Amino acid sequence: MIATTLEDALNAESGGADRIELIANRHEGGVTPSMVLVQKVAASIKIPVHVMIRPHSRSFHMLKDDIQKMIA
């Protein structure tokens, strides 16, 4: 189940999802959500949270700088 908000994550868990993928900017194909949202979701649900790591929506081709951002 894809979630973009804390409410999405709570609804997914209560609806029976066994994990979620947490993303931001779904209309752009998804990018990394804010750390604040990641922390809130992780603290609020018991199912696994998989966080999208994608620094931009231009493509899935990453430059060296993009990779450094993703590692950080």
Side-chain angles (χ1 to χ4, degrees), residues 10-49:
L10 293 169
N11 288 338
E13 184 177 52
S14 68
D18 60 354
R19 68 180 184 275
I20 63 161
E21 181 174 354
L22 188 62
I23 69 170
N25 296 330
R26 186 177 197 167
H27 64 280
E28 294 180 16
V31 295
T32 305
S34 73
M35 187 56 105
V36 171
L37 179 59
V38 172
Q39 291 169 337
K40 284 182 181 178
V41 169
S44 299
I45 64 175
K46 294 184 180 8
I47 60 176
V49 178

Side-chain angles (χ1 to χ4, degrees), residues 48-72:
V49 178
H50 299 265
V51 179
M52 177 172 271
I53 306 296
R54 185 178 178 214
H56 58 72
S57 62
R58 294 185 302 271
S59 71
F60 284 94
H61 177 77
M62 300 297 159
L63 301 174
K64 187 175 181 178
D65 185 53
D66 297 327
I67 294 168
Q68 290 303 317
K69 288 178 187 174
M70 291 165 48
I71 291 169

